[in-house]
Amino acid sequence: MEETNREAVATAVQRVAGMLQRSDQLDKVEQYRRREARKKASVEARLKAAIQSQLDGVRTGLSQLHNALGDVKDIQNSLADVSKDWRQSINTIENLKDVKDAVVQHSQLASAVENLKNIFSVPEIVADTQVLIEQAELLEAHRKLMDLECSRDDLMYEQYRMDSKNTHDMNLIRNYFGEVQGLSDDLAKQLWMVLQRAMGTVRRDPTMLVSVVRIIEREEKIDRRMLDRKKQTGFIPPGRPKSWKEKMFEVLEGTVTTRIEGSQSVTREADKMWMVRLLEITRKYVLDDLIVVKNLMVQCFPPHYNTFDRFFKLYHNAVSMRVQELAAEDLEANEIVSLLTWVLNTYKSEEMMGHPELLTEYDINLMDPLLPQEVVDELLSKYLQTFTSNITGWLRKALETDKKDWFKETEPEADQDGYYQTTLPAIVFQMFEQNLQVAAQINETFKEQVLKLCLKQMNSFLVRYREEAIAYKEDHLRDRQLPQCYVQYMIAIINNCHTFKESINSLKKKYFKSTEPTQNDAAIEKTLNDVAKDGCQFLLDEVFLDLEHHLNELLTRKWLTGTHAVDTICVTVEDYFNDFAKIKKPFNTEMTSEAHRRVVVEYIKAVMQKRITFKNADERREGADRMIKEAEQFKFLFRKLTAGEETDRLCDAIAAIAEVFKLTDPTLLYLEVSTLVSKYPDIREEHIVALLAMRGDASRDMKQMIMETLNQNKPTYSGITQPIFKDITVPTVTMTSMSSSMAATANKLLK
């Protein structure tokens, strides 16, 4: 108590200190005191009211306890009186056995009298009931049937109570009411017939369906009552329990199953699209039926039946069984895709079980999958096997068709930019696109599997494509007049490689989420580059086959005296490259560079073959001037073909060699050769020997001195972007002017 007082005083002091923090607040001390007094009086009044209320409650409780104690005493006294009276009446009860037997007999007689009218009119009632059943007056027929069964059951029960072992009398009653069981069976048949046509009945005459449900509910109540009486007495009438409610659900389940199984209207033999038609009919039937169940049939059944949930599960199970049967058949690839797309996507979509009208009643995601995952995996595996086989055949057929076009007498088509092309890339990737679109309908994982498979098959296809392009070139070489459009179709083959690359990248971007390269990317890229490079090489071979005669004229006596070989070479190359302009970049650029290199290399080869040996300084000067002029012609040509790009370095090699020939002072020959070697470090000793031999004025000592000096001052070869002399071989000739010592020295030169 003291602790509480101290806490109260401390709280009060803190509160007063808070109210009197400024000097102007001292004037309001009296106002604060009155306000706190009012608060205190209010709190005390509420406290007194609460305590008074509690005291009133205690007083009322004590009063009620006192009254209850009095009631308990009264009940105790009453129980004592009852116990006393019961002990006195035990003997009296034992003396009433005869009365009890009389009561039982009276009950049996009363039951007989009550059912007497029905007993004598059983044949008439049976006939009337039969007519009512045939006329589909089911409720009235059932009422009469219940009367008959009630009369029979009451008589048999009373007989059972009087003498349960008297089978003769029991059989007598059963036989007399023998036709009742037949009526029950006939009525049941009518009920099941109505339930089998429930979807049509509920639209046309819902009262009929309601009547059936009412009859079944009545029978269920009678079944429960009979079973309860059996527990008490051991007696149950014949034919009970009927279990019509359970039978009703079995009939409905059979109806749904029949509805689903009967949706197949065509077979594979009659219609290749039979699977699509079957699944669409099934979808329509299921959706329409469930909407009817939701809007109409639910109202015909009691709420505790959970009618919609029950029908939803029935349809789900029936569809599941049906699609499993379909999955077990020997399906083709397109049928597998149609089935899996329907099962994995359409079934749960808004077009079917996910329809807005159904979502409010049931969540389809709570149901088991239509197909087990192992069945789905098996179907996907089977599809991939079939697809692999099919796509191999499709690609082979597409290539065969494209090959036939290569031998046509008309040029291939050109795209909007004027580049030659064939229809092969479009056909192949349209094929891939269609299959990927189909695979995407199933799921993302399967779509990527199909894409990887397409790329794998694409790699194998491109290998065959390259082989066919090589065979095409070899066929042409047997007779260069055929095919007539060889160059144009080889250009189209090269351009197709570019189209293939673009199409593959487009497919990967569209259908492949990951940016990581697949295992086939490098192989496809390499094969496409090989096909394009082969094609470019084949075309250049075609060019140089036409130039062969003119190249052989270079650096000969005929050339020195005057020939138009280089003019013809330039005109021929330019003419070919007018066609080659229809090759897409970068292949066009690479091909031009290679053509430039080969022209220069062939020219230098002519030099190295020592087709001519200059006899005097005039011939050397004349030959050098011609070489410089022709180098300029080549520069002009390839600048034109490369749209002004730098092309001088290759042609400068010809001019540099010409300077070696043009030099008039043999003593300065070493300097000129050194300059040539420094510009083109890939030049070898046999090249220098051939050049000196072609000059015709270099003595053996001079040649040996030049070779030894170059060997001592050999330039460092750091690698050049486009070597010229590397692929140029010098024919083996007998050089009587070279001593064995000089040859030994030359072997060390610029390897």
Side-chain angles (χ1 to χ4, degrees):
M1 189 68 178
E2 292 178 358
E3 182 66 25
T4 304
N5 288 336
R6 283 197 297 272
E7 290 180 359
V9 170
T11 302
V13 169
Q14 186 177 1
R15 184 179 178 85
V16 170
M19 290 189 293
L20 301 178
Q21 290 182 352
R22 300 192 306 275
S23 59
D24 60 334
Q25 291 177 323
L26 294 175
D27 298 337
K28 300 180 181 180
V29 169
E30 188 61 29
Q31 180 181 348
Y32 292 154
R33 183 182 291 112
R34 287 196 300 271
R35 187 175 67 187
E36 293 301 319
R38 286 196 300 272
K39 286 185 179 180
K40 180 180 178 183
S42 175
V43 171
E44 289 177 349
R46 289 199 302 271
L47 183 60
K48 287 179 181 180
I51 293 174
Q52 184 63 40
S53 175
Q54 292 291 330
L55 290 175
D56 291 342
V58 171
R59 188 179 297 110
T60 302
L62 290 174
S63 175
Q64 290 176 347
L65 287 173
H66 184 268
N67 293 336
L69 181 60
D71 293 340
V72 168
K73 290 180 179 179
D74 292 341
I75 292 171
Q76 187 176 11
N77 293 334
S78 299
L79 288 173
D81 293 341
V82 169
S83 177
K84 180 179 178 181
D85 293 341
W86 177 74
R87 290 190 184 92
Q88 292 176 355
S89 62
I90 289 177
N91 294 331
T92 304
I93 293 173
E94 291 178 353
N95 294 330
L96 294 176
K97 185 176 182 302
D98 294 339
V99 176
K100 181 180 179 182
D101 294 340
V103 169
V104 171
Q105 187 175 10
H106 179 270
S107 175
Q108 293 173 345
L109 293 173
S111 177
V113 170
E114 182 179 351
N115 293 289
L116 193 59
K117 180 179 179 182
N118 289 339
I119 291 172
F120 286 110
S121 59
V122 164
E124 181 183 350
I125 297 175
V126 168
D128 292 344
T129 305
Q130 188 68 48
V131 172
L132 291 172
I133 292 174
E134 293 173 356
Q135 294 176 349
E137 298 289 340
L138 302 182
L139 281 177
E140 184 62 23
H142 186 249
R143 186 185 65 77
K144 289 183 176 293
L145 177 62
M146 285 195 300
D147 291 342
L148 290 171
E149 289 181 336
C150 182
S151 299
R152 179 196 64 184
D153 297 346
D154 288 348
L155 290 173
M156 294 183 74
Y157 176 63
E158 294 300 333
Q159 177 61 36
Y160 180 83
R161 287 177 60 193
M162 184 174 65
D163 186 2
S164 60
K165 296 180 180 180
N166 188 349
T167 57
H168 178 269
D169 290 346
M170 292 289 281
N171 288 333
L172 184 65
I173 298 172
R174 183 181 289 110
N175 292 335
Y176 185 76
F177 286 90
E179 295 183 4
V180 173
Q181 185 61 41
L183 288 176
S184 179
D185 294 341
D186 290 344
L187 179 61
K189 291 179 182 178
Q190 290 293 324
L191 300 182
W192 310 149
M193 190 179 299
V194 173
L195 289 172
Q196 288 170 355
R197 303 170 181 173
M199 287 300 167
T201 303
V202 77
R203 292 183 177 97
R204 185 179 62 258
D205 185 11
T207 56
M208 176 66 75
L209 187 59
V210 172
S211 299
V212 171
V213 176
R214 287 180 60 188
I215 291 170
I216 292 172
E217 278 295 291
R218 289 176 185 173
E219 290 294 337
E220 280 296 301
K221 290 179 181 179
I222 297 173
D223 280 350
R224 288 194 294 271
R225 189 169 68 248
M226 293 297 106
L227 290 173
D228 290 341
R229 189 166 68 178
K230 180 183 178 182
K231 292 177 182 179
Q232 297 172 2
T233 65
F235 172 79
I236 189 165
R240 294 289 177 185
K242 293 184 178 180
S243 302
W244 278 7
K245 182 178 179 181
E246 182 179 345
K247 177 64 176 176
M248 174 185 68
F249 292 133
E250 292 177 1
V251 171
L252 290 175
E253 181 177 359
T255 301
V256 171
T257 302
T258 303
R259 177 93 163 145
I260 298 301
E261 291 179 349
S263 59
Q264 182 168 348
S265 58
V266 293
T267 61
R268 180 186 291 126
E269 292 73 17
D271 187 351
K272 291 296 183 182
M273 300 297 291
W274 69 277
M275 177 67 77
V276 175
R277 294 183 184 277
L278 167 61
L279 296 175
E280 177 58 21
I281 292 173
T282 302
R283 182 199 67 80
K284 189 174 184 304
Y285 279 3
V286 172
L287 180 59
D288 291 348
D289 289 357
L290 287 177
I291 291 176
V292 169
V293 170
K294 174 181 178 292
N295 296 329
L296 299 177
M297 194 171 291
V298 168
Q299 303 171 19
C300 300
F301 290 84
H304 65 273
Y305 276 35
N306 295 321
T307 306
F308 185 82
D309 290 359
R310 187 178 295 275
F311 270 94
F312 198 93
K313 293 175 182 177
L314 287 177
Y315 274 96
H316 176 79
N317 294 335
V319 172
S320 178
M321 290 176 58
R322 182 58 179 144
V323 295
Q324 290 186 48
E325 291 173 359
L326 292 173
E329 295 184 14
D330 186 17
L331 299 179
E332 298 178 357
N334 61 319
E335 295 168 353
I336 292 175
V337 170
S338 298
L339 180 61
L340 289 179
T341 302
W342 193 87
V343 168
L344 300 178
N345 299 316
T346 305
Y347 185 71
K348 292 186 178 182
S349 70
E350 292 185 357
E351 297 178 358
M352 196 170 176
M353 305 305 257
H355 193 276
E357 286 199 48
L358 305 183
L359 279 179
T360 58
E361 302 294 329
Y362 201 89
D363 186 0
I364 183 58
N365 294 317
L366 300 177
M367 303 297 291
D368 294 332
L370 281 181
L371 284 177
Q373 188 58 44
E374 57 269 20
V375 177
V376 174
D377 293 340
E378 183 179 348
L379 287 174
L380 291 176
S381 176
K382 182 178 179 181
Y383 174 82
L384 289 176
Q385 293 175 1
T386 306
F387 175 67
T388 302
S389 176
N390 289 345
I391 200 170
T392 302
W394 293 335
L395 290 173
R396 184 182 298 110
K397 185 177 180 180
L399 183 54
E400 290 296 328
T401 303
D402 201 58
K403 277 174 54 182
K404 292 179 182 178
D405 292 343
W406 298 351
F407 293 90
K408 288 182 177 180
E409 297 180 359
T410 56
E411 293 184 355
E413 297 179 358
D415 63 12
Q416 64 272 19
D417 296 320
Y419 296 115
Y420 286 138
Q421 63 179 9
T422 68
T423 58
L424 182 62
I427 293 173
V428 169
F429 284 95
Q430 182 181 9
M431 187 191 313
F432 287 169
E433 181 83 20
Q434 290 173 352
N435 284 279
L436 285 168
Q437 288 176 355
V438 169
Q441 296 174 6
I442 297 177
N443 55 48
E444 288 294 322
T445 303
F446 183 65
K447 177 190 68 177
E448 294 185 358
Q449 285 181 325
V450 172
L451 176 58
K452 291 178 180 178
L453 181 58
C454 288
L455 294 178
K456 181 179 179 181
Q457 293 299 315
M458 185 66 189
N459 186 37
S460 302
F461 166 75
L462 290 175
V463 172
R464 293 195 300 272
Y465 191 52
R466 184 185 183 191
E467 293 171 352
E468 294 296 341
I470 294 173
Y472 182 55
K473 182 262 299 188
E474 292 174 349
D475 287 343
H476 172 69
L477 291 180
R478 294 188 186 97
D479 182 356
R480 292 189 62 212
Q481 301 302 317
L482 297 174
Q484 293 184 8
C485 296
Y486 168 77
V487 171
Q488 289 80 0
Y489 277 100
M490 189 58 73
I491 292 173
I493 291 173
I494 297 170
N495 289 338
N496 285 349
C497 295
H498 185 271
T499 306
F500 278 132
K501 285 185 180 181
E502 290 183 338
S503 300
I504 289 171
N505 292 333
S506 175
L507 282 183
K508 289 172 61 180
K509 184 177 180 181
K510 184 175 180 180
Y511 293 103
F512 202 59
K513 287 185 176 180
S514 175
T515 56
E516 296 294 325
T518 66
Q519 60 182 358
N520 296 297
D521 285 359
I524 291 175
E525 181 76 15
K526 180 180 181 303
T527 307
L528 284 172
N529 288 335
D530 289 344
V531 174
K533 288 179 180 178
D534 287 348
C536 292
Q537 189 67 39
F538 298 159
L539 290 177
L540 287 178
D541 290 344
E542 185 74 5
V543 174
F544 281 89
L545 282 174
D546 286 348
L547 296 180
E548 184 176 4
H549 172 71
H550 305 291
L551 291 171
N552 290 334
E553 289 184 1
L554 297 176
L555 278 299
T556 62
R557 283 287 166 189
K558 181 179 179 181
W559 168 81
L560 185 62
T561 57
T563 181
H564 299 290
V566 171
D567 295 336
T568 305
I569 290 171
C570 291
V571 170
T572 304
V573 170
E574 184 174 4
D575 181 60
Y576 268 105
F577 270 84
N578 286 333
D579 288 337
F580 297 165
K582 295 185 178 181
I583 298 176
K584 293 182 179 179
K585 292 183 179 180
F587 306 128
N588 178 286
T589 304
E590 294 172 358
M591 191 172 176
T592 305
S593 299
E594 179 61 18
H596 187 187
R597 191 192 72 83
R598 283 186 65 171
V599 166
V600 173
V601 167
E602 291 296 330
Y603 195 100
I604 296 176
K605 276 184 181 180
V607 175
M608 299 303 169
Q609 289 174 359
K610 197 184 173 185
R611 298 173 181 174
I612 184 175
T613 300
F614 297 122
K615 296 178 179 179
N616 50 52
D618 291 338
E619 285 189 356
R620 285 192 290 274
R621 183 181 67 256
E622 185 180 350
D625 290 342
R626 179 174 284 275
M627 289 176 67
I628 293 171
K629 175 186 175 185
E630 291 173 347
E632 290 298 324
Q633 284 183 266
F634 290 145
K635 284 184 183 180
F636 177 79
L637 170 65
F638 287 103
R639 282 175 185 167
K640 182 178 180 181
L641 295 180
T642 57
E645 293 183 10
E646 178 59 40
T647 60
D648 291 351
R649 186 180 178 280
L650 289 170
C651 294
D652 285 347
I654 299 175
I657 292 173
E659 292 298 332
V660 173
F661 295 152
K662 191 174 184 179
L663 186 67
T664 57
D665 187 355
T667 60
L668 300 177
L669 192 58
Y670 164 72
L671 294 176
E672 200 65 45
V673 172
S674 298
T675 302
L676 176 65
V677 172
S678 64
K679 288 182 179 179
Y680 303 96
D682 62 321
I683 194 169
R684 299 191 299 275
E685 42 86 14
E686 60 262 31
H687 298 141
I688 297 174
V689 171
L691 293 178
L692 295 176
M694 188 172 175
R695 266 187 65 92
D697 65 342
S699 65
R700 184 180 63 181
D701 294 339
M702 183 182 296
K703 293 177 183 177
Q704 185 173 350
M705 182 272 293
I706 291 172
M707 301 303 289
E708 289 176 351
T709 306
L710 288 174
N711 186 47
Q712 293 172 3
N713 301 284
K714 181 169 59 177
T716 302
Y717 178 67
S718 58
I720 52 180
T721 56
Q722 195 173 17
I724 301 173
F725 293 90
K726 178 181 177 182
D727 299 327
I728 299 176
T729 58
V730 179
T732 303
V733 295
T734 303
M735 296 179 146
T736 57
S737 61
M738 295 291 292
S739 65
S740 59
S741 61
M742 178 203 151
T745 304
N747 287 333
K748 301 176 183 179
L749 179 64
L750 297 176
K751 293 183 180 178

